[in-house]
Amino acid sequence: MDFSLGERAESFRTEVRAFLGEHLTPTVIQQMHTTGTFNNKDFNSALAEAGLLAGAVPGYGNRDPIELYVLFNELEKAGAPYEGLAVTMLVAGVVHAVGTEFHHNEVLKPLLTGRYTCCLGYSEPDHGSDVAAITTRAIRDGKDWVIDGQKMWTTMAHEADWVILLTRTNPDVPKHKGLTMFLVPMDLPGIEIQPVATMATERTNATFYDGVRLGDQWRLGEVDGGWNVMGVALAFERGVMGGTNPAVPLLRHIRDWAANTPSPEGGPLLDDPLLRERMGRTAIANQVSQLLTLRAAWIAATGGLPGLEGSMAKLYATERYQQAVGWFQQMAGAEGLLSFGASHAAANGWIDYDGRHSPVMTIYGGTTEINRNNVAERHLGLPRAR
Ligand SMILES: Cc1cc2nc3c(=O)[nH]c(=O)nc-3n(C[C@H](O)[C@H](O)[C@H](O)COP(=O)(O)OP(=O)(O)OC[C@H]3O[C@@H](n4cnc5c(N)ncnc54)[C@H](O)[C@@H]3O)c2cc1C
């Protein structure tokens, strides 16, 4: 089977790699880990200026859709701050797919400059996996809507210009049928943001909406049609826009560490047979993750929504990532628990970082259990879990 992406996609990949060689400096990487904000507006706008961002919007323009996959695949493998950008471009794709001319002018155009950021306001304190059960209310008041409620885990809210907000507009119908999506400017009165630190260093937020008044022009999709808008957004969230190759940078850090660390038996740790076996297994898992991601990307590129395939890629990649970092942490011993900046930290703190980051990746963007249900029901045809 021929897995090559074709000349156009490969030349795009070369362009992205050249960009990363120039712009992904140690300072950019360090800044993301010291602030916990996995977004860098200067880096994003440099991407836009280099002409690399328009292809990052799902379904936008006449760009080769495979560019979307190539861009995020390269950013993730290089360890760049791509998470904020991925969410922003995902929202751009949703706006492109279901937005009005107003949304295109007010939101999509600015997003394409890389200077603006969006965040996702779906999850609530009591509703994450079962997101259709959310309770944040939007009530019509003349020409406006008034929003009251609380969202949890609104990552990037503190930097974002807009939140794509899932609200309940009708509590008297089955839960999926009473939802409406809005694009909400984050500077409206009544919005409060509180930081939430995670074990993965990544900052997220609790967001509060207290009588937030908003014109109807900010509604995205039909009234009570929010679930359809969610469908478009979720299909791209898993698989195609990063999140499925996290062990690629990890393996690079392990290689560099093991080459420069003595083994108790003499010689570098890189010669240790157990370490080599584990590195080999991780490299194989990375390759499988890459192929699963490619399948999701191919479906997106040929006009489909890769909801199921993205679930499979995310599920496999994040579980293998967790397994791999557990192996390396075990081999590094206590020094594998030391963080960035500590003098004896194994792999300069990367093993510790990945050890804390890998559990979180099996939660956000749909938990492992939810993805397993998705695969069991939609791919294997097993009965519904509930
Ligand atoms: C760091 C981080 C960043 C995030 N960023 C965002 C963001 O920007 N925007 C946003 O909207 N959300 C965000 N989330 C929220 C994330 O999507 C949810 O945490 C996730 O969907 C799980 O929801 P929950 O936390 O409410 O857990 P719950 O849904 O309460 O799940 C608890 C446990 O029960 C399991 N479970 C639940 N339902 C089932 C079922 N039907 N079958 C089997 N097992 C089940 C889950 O797998 C999990 O293990 C983020 C989360 C984290 C940790």
mmCIF file with all atom_site columns, all heavy atoms in Angstrom, residues 321-334:
data_model
loop_
_atom_site.group_PDB
_atom_site.id
_atom_site.type_symbol
_atom_site.label_atom_id
_atom_site.label_alt_id
_atom_site.label_comp_id
_atom_site.label_asym_id
_atom_site.label_entity_id
_atom_site.label_seq_id
_atom_site.pdbx_PDB_ins_code
_atom_site.Cartn_x
_atom_site.Cartn_y
_atom_site.Cartn_z
_atom_site.occupancy
_atom_site.B_iso_or_equiv
_atom_site.pdbx_formal_charge
_atom_site.auth_seq_id
_atom_site.auth_comp_id
_atom_site.auth_asym_id
_atom_site.auth_atom_id
_atom_site.pdbx_PDB_model_num
ATOM 1   N N   . TYR A 1 321 ? 1.238  6.323  24.904 1.00 0.00 ? 321 TYR A N   1
ATOM 2   C CA  . TYR A 1 321 ? 2.074  7.408  25.460 1.00 0.00 ? 321 TYR A CA  1
ATOM 3   C C   . TYR A 1 321 ? 2.216  7.219  26.969 1.00 0.00 ? 321 TYR A C   1
ATOM 4   O O   . TYR A 1 321 ? 3.314  7.257  27.517 1.00 0.00 ? 321 TYR A O   1
ATOM 5   C CB  . TYR A 1 321 ? 1.386  8.732  25.120 1.00 0.00 ? 321 TYR A CB  1
ATOM 6   C CG  . TYR A 1 321 ? 1.935  10.012 25.695 1.00 0.00 ? 321 TYR A CG  1
ATOM 7   C CD1 . TYR A 1 321 ? 3.295  10.283 25.759 1.00 0.00 ? 321 TYR A CD1 1
ATOM 8   C CD2 . TYR A 1 321 ? 1.047  11.004 26.138 1.00 0.00 ? 321 TYR A CD2 1
ATOM 9   C CE1 . TYR A 1 321 ? 3.758  11.501 26.267 1.00 0.00 ? 321 TYR A CE1 1
ATOM 10  C CE2 . TYR A 1 321 ? 1.500  12.212 26.632 1.00 0.00 ? 321 TYR A CE2 1
ATOM 11  C CZ  . TYR A 1 321 ? 2.854  12.455 26.704 1.00 0.00 ? 321 TYR A CZ  1
ATOM 12  O OH  . TYR A 1 321 ? 3.308  13.658 27.193 1.00 0.00 ? 321 TYR A OH  1
ATOM 13  N N   . GLN A 1 322 ? 1.084  6.965  27.616 1.00 0.00 ? 322 GLN A N   1
ATOM 14  C CA  . GLN A 1 322 ? 1.100  6.745  29.066 1.00 0.00 ? 322 GLN A CA  1
ATOM 15  C C   . GLN A 1 322 ? 1.954  5.538  29.423 1.00 0.00 ? 322 GLN A C   1
ATOM 16  O O   . GLN A 1 322 ? 2.731  5.565  30.367 1.00 0.00 ? 322 GLN A O   1
ATOM 17  C CB  . GLN A 1 322 ? -0.334 6.482  29.534 1.00 0.00 ? 322 GLN A CB  1
ATOM 18  C CG  . GLN A 1 322 ? -0.796 7.413  30.593 1.00 0.00 ? 322 GLN A CG  1
ATOM 19  C CD  . GLN A 1 322 ? -2.227 7.134  31.003 1.00 0.00 ? 322 GLN A CD  1
ATOM 20  O OE1 . GLN A 1 322 ? -2.597 6.034  31.385 1.00 0.00 ? 322 GLN A OE1 1
ATOM 21  N NE2 . GLN A 1 322 ? -3.055 8.148  30.908 1.00 0.00 ? 322 GLN A NE2 1
ATOM 22  N N   . GLN A 1 323 ? 1.811  4.478  28.653 1.00 0.00 ? 323 GLN A N   1
ATOM 23  C CA  . GLN A 1 323 ? 2.587  3.268  28.920 1.00 0.00 ? 323 GLN A CA  1
ATOM 24  C C   . GLN A 1 323 ? 4.088  3.546  28.758 1.00 0.00 ? 323 GLN A C   1
ATOM 25  O O   . GLN A 1 323 ? 4.902  3.165  29.595 1.00 0.00 ? 323 GLN A O   1
ATOM 26  C CB  . GLN A 1 323 ? 2.151  2.162  27.953 1.00 0.00 ? 323 GLN A CB  1
ATOM 27  C CG  . GLN A 1 323 ? 2.876  0.862  28.162 1.00 0.00 ? 323 GLN A CG  1
ATOM 28  C CD  . GLN A 1 323 ? 2.504  -0.144 27.093 1.00 0.00 ? 323 GLN A CD  1
ATOM 29  O OE1 . GLN A 1 323 ? 2.510  0.162  25.899 1.00 0.00 ? 323 GLN A OE1 1
ATOM 30  N NE2 . GLN A 1 323 ? 2.161  -1.343 27.514 1.00 0.00 ? 323 GLN A NE2 1
ATOM 31  N N   . ALA A 1 324 ? 4.430  4.233  27.673 1.00 0.00 ? 324 ALA A N   1
ATOM 32  C CA  . ALA A 1 324 ? 5.842  4.491  27.385 1.00 0.00 ? 324 ALA A CA  1
ATOM 33  C C   . ALA A 1 324 ? 6.473  5.338  28.483 1.00 0.00 ? 324 ALA A C   1
ATOM 34  O O   . ALA A 1 324 ? 7.551  5.004  28.990 1.00 0.00 ? 324 ALA A O   1
ATOM 35  C CB  . ALA A 1 324 ? 5.974  5.193  26.032 1.00 0.00 ? 324 ALA A CB  1
ATOM 36  N N   . VAL A 1 325 ? 5.793  6.398  28.880 1.00 0.00 ? 325 VAL A N   1
ATOM 37  C CA  . VAL A 1 325 ? 6.421  7.268  29.877 1.00 0.00 ? 325 VAL A CA  1
ATOM 38  C C   . VAL A 1 325 ? 6.545  6.530  31.212 1.00 0.00 ? 325 VAL A C   1
ATOM 39  O O   . VAL A 1 325 ? 7.521  6.709  31.943 1.00 0.00 ? 325 VAL A O   1
ATOM 40  C CB  . VAL A 1 325 ? 5.705  8.629  29.972 1.00 0.00 ? 325 VAL A CB  1
ATOM 41  C CG1 . VAL A 1 325 ? 4.381  8.538  30.659 1.00 0.00 ? 325 VAL A CG1 1
ATOM 42  C CG2 . VAL A 1 325 ? 6.583  9.632  30.691 1.00 0.00 ? 325 VAL A CG2 1
ATOM 43  N N   . GLY A 1 326 ? 5.603  5.640  31.496 1.00 0.00 ? 326 GLY A N   1
ATOM 44  C CA  . GLY A 1 326 ? 5.707  4.818  32.712 1.00 0.00 ? 326 GLY A CA  1
ATOM 45  C C   . GLY A 1 326 ? 6.966  3.954  32.671 1.00 0.00 ? 326 GLY A C   1
ATOM 46  O O   . GLY A 1 326 ? 7.695  3.851  33.658 1.00 0.00 ? 326 GLY A O   1
ATOM 47  N N   . TRP A 1 327 ? 7.230  3.354  31.535 1.00 0.00 ? 327 TRP A N   1
ATOM 48  C CA  . TRP A 1 327 ? 8.447  2.526  31.377 1.00 0.00 ? 327 TRP A CA  1
ATOM 49  C C   . TRP A 1 327 ? 9.700  3.359  31.644 1.00 0.00 ? 327 TRP A C   1
ATOM 50  O O   . TRP A 1 327 ? 10.582 2.956  32.376 1.00 0.00 ? 327 TRP A O   1
ATOM 51  C CB  . TRP A 1 327 ? 8.570  2.017  29.941 1.00 0.00 ? 327 TRP A CB  1
ATOM 52  C CG  . TRP A 1 327 ? 7.666  0.897  29.556 1.00 0.00 ? 327 TRP A CG  1
ATOM 53  C CD1 . TRP A 1 327 ? 7.060  -0.005 30.374 1.00 0.00 ? 327 TRP A CD1 1
ATOM 54  C CD2 . TRP A 1 327 ? 7.282  0.553  28.216 1.00 0.00 ? 327 TRP A CD2 1
ATOM 55  N NE1 . TRP A 1 327 ? 6.329  -0.887 29.639 1.00 0.00 ? 327 TRP A NE1 1
ATOM 56  C CE2 . TRP A 1 327 ? 6.441  -0.572 28.311 1.00 0.00 ? 327 TRP A CE2 1
ATOM 57  C CE3 . TRP A 1 327 ? 7.556  1.093  26.960 1.00 0.00 ? 327 TRP A CE3 1
ATOM 58  C CZ2 . TRP A 1 327 ? 5.884  -1.172 27.181 1.00 0.00 ? 327 TRP A CZ2 1
ATOM 59  C CZ3 . TRP A 1 327 ? 7.014  0.485  25.842 1.00 0.00 ? 327 TRP A CZ3 1
ATOM 60  C CH2 . TRP A 1 327 ? 6.184  -0.630 25.948 1.00 0.00 ? 327 TRP A CH2 1
ATOM 61  N N   . PHE A 1 328 ? 9.751  4.550  31.012 1.00 0.00 ? 328 PHE A N   1
ATOM 62  C CA  . PHE A 1 328 ? 10.988 5.346  31.098 1.00 0.00 ? 328 PHE A CA  1
ATOM 63  C C   . PHE A 1 328 ? 11.154 5.942  32.498 1.00 0.00 ? 328 PHE A C   1
ATOM 64  O O   . PHE A 1 328 ? 12.272 6.071  32.993 1.00 0.00 ? 328 PHE A O   1
ATOM 65  C CB  . PHE A 1 328 ? 11.019 6.425  30.005 1.00 0.00 ? 328 PHE A CB  1
ATOM 66  C CG  . PHE A 1 328 ? 10.973 5.827  28.622 1.00 0.00 ? 328 PHE A CG  1
ATOM 67  C CD1 . PHE A 1 328 ? 10.057 6.262  27.671 1.00 0.00 ? 328 PHE A CD1 1
ATOM 68  C CD2 . PHE A 1 328 ? 11.843 4.805  28.264 1.00 0.00 ? 328 PHE A CD2 1
ATOM 69  C CE1 . PHE A 1 328 ? 10.002 5.696  26.404 1.00 0.00 ? 328 PHE A CE1 1
ATOM 70  C CE2 . PHE A 1 328 ? 11.802 4.227  26.998 1.00 0.00 ? 328 PHE A CE2 1
ATOM 71  C CZ  . PHE A 1 328 ? 10.879 4.671  26.071 1.00 0.00 ? 328 PHE A CZ  1
ATOM 72  N N   . GLN A 1 329 ? 10.028 6.257  33.113 1.00 0.00 ? 329 GLN A N   1
ATOM 73  C CA  . GLN A 1 329 ? 10.099 6.797  34.467 1.00 0.00 ? 329 GLN A CA  1
ATOM 74  C C   . GLN A 1 329 ? 10.640 5.720  35.421 1.00 0.00 ? 329 GLN A C   1
ATOM 75  O O   . GLN A 1 329 ? 11.474 5.996  36.278 1.00 0.00 ? 329 GLN A O   1
ATOM 76  C CB  . GLN A 1 329 ? 8.705  7.249  34.921 1.00 0.00 ? 329 GLN A CB  1
ATOM 77  C CG  . GLN A 1 329 ? 8.766  8.338  35.966 1.00 0.00 ? 329 GLN A CG  1
ATOM 78  C CD  . GLN A 1 329 ? 7.574  9.269  35.899 1.00 0.00 ? 329 GLN A CD  1
ATOM 79  O OE1 . GLN A 1 329 ? 6.463  8.843  35.592 1.00 0.00 ? 329 GLN A OE1 1
ATOM 80  N NE2 . GLN A 1 329 ? 7.780  10.530 36.181 1.00 0.00 ? 329 GLN A NE2 1
ATOM 81  N N   . GLN A 1 330 ? 10.189 4.505  35.187 1.00 0.00 ? 330 GLN A N   1
ATOM 82  C CA  . GLN A 1 330 ? 10.670 3.375  35.984 1.00 0.00 ? 330 GLN A CA  1
ATOM 83  C C   . GLN A 1 330 ? 12.187 3.218  35.823 1.00 0.00 ? 330 GLN A C   1
ATOM 84  O O   . GLN A 1 330 ? 12.915 3.030  36.784 1.00 0.00 ? 330 GLN A O   1
ATOM 85  C CB  . GLN A 1 330 ? 9.956  2.139  35.442 1.00 0.00 ? 330 GLN A CB  1
ATOM 86  C CG  . GLN A 1 330 ? 9.991  0.923  36.299 1.00 0.00 ? 330 GLN A CG  1
ATOM 87  C CD  . GLN A 1 330 ? 9.319  -0.221 35.527 1.00 0.00 ? 330 GLN A CD  1
ATOM 88  O OE1 . GLN A 1 330 ? 9.556  -0.403 34.331 1.00 0.00 ? 330 GLN A OE1 1
ATOM 89  N NE2 . GLN A 1 330 ? 8.484  -0.972 36.209 1.00 0.00 ? 330 GLN A NE2 1
ATOM 90  N N   . MET A 1 331 ? 12.664 3.354  34.600 1.00 0.00 ? 331 MET A N   1
ATOM 91  C CA  . MET A 1 331 ? 14.094 3.146  34.346 1.00 0.00 ? 331 MET A CA  1
ATOM 92  C C   . MET A 1 331 ? 14.937 4.322  34.862 1.00 0.00 ? 331 MET A C   1
ATOM 93  O O   . MET A 1 331 ? 16.102 4.141  35.214 1.00 0.00 ? 331 MET A O   1
ATOM 94  C CB  . MET A 1 331 ? 14.346 2.939  32.853 1.00 0.00 ? 331 MET A CB  1
ATOM 95  C CG  . MET A 1 331 ? 13.620 1.698  32.366 1.00 0.00 ? 331 MET A CG  1
ATOM 96  S SD  . MET A 1 331 ? 14.264 1.036  30.840 1.00 0.00 ? 331 MET A SD  1
ATOM 97  C CE  . MET A 1 331 ? 15.800 0.299  31.348 1.00 0.00 ? 331 MET A CE  1
ATOM 98  N N   . ALA A 1 332 ? 14.328 5.507  34.900 1.00 0.00 ? 332 ALA A N   1
ATOM 99  C CA  . ALA A 1 332 ? 15.089 6.680  35.358 1.00 0.00 ? 332 ALA A CA  1
ATOM 100 C C   . ALA A 1 332 ? 15.136 6.750  36.875 1.00 0.00 ? 332 ALA A C   1
ATOM 101 O O   . ALA A 1 332 ? 15.958 7.481  37.438 1.00 0.00 ? 332 ALA A O   1
ATOM 102 C CB  . ALA A 1 332 ? 14.456 7.952  34.800 1.00 0.00 ? 332 ALA A CB  1
ATOM 103 N N   . GLY A 1 333 ? 14.254 6.008  37.562 1.00 0.00 ? 333 GLY A N   1
ATOM 104 C CA  . GLY A 1 333 ? 14.233 6.032  39.024 1.00 0.00 ? 333 GLY A CA  1
ATOM 105 C C   . GLY A 1 333 ? 13.818 7.398  39.543 1.00 0.00 ? 333 GLY A C   1
ATOM 106 O O   . GLY A 1 333 ? 13.082 8.142  38.873 1.00 0.00 ? 333 GLY A O   1
ATOM 107 N N   . ALA A 1 334 ? 14.354 7.769  40.705 1.00 0.00 ? 334 ALA A N   1
ATOM 108 C CA  . ALA A 1 334 ? 13.923 9.006  41.366 1.00 0.00 ? 334 ALA A CA  1
ATOM 109 C C   . ALA A 1 334 ? 14.183 10.230 40.491 1.00 0.00 ? 334 ALA A C   1
ATOM 110 O O   . ALA A 1 334 ? 13.417 11.196 40.509 1.00 0.00 ? 334 ALA A O   1
ATOM 111 C CB  . ALA A 1 334 ? 14.636 9.146  42.701 1.00 0.00 ? 334 ALA A CB  1
#
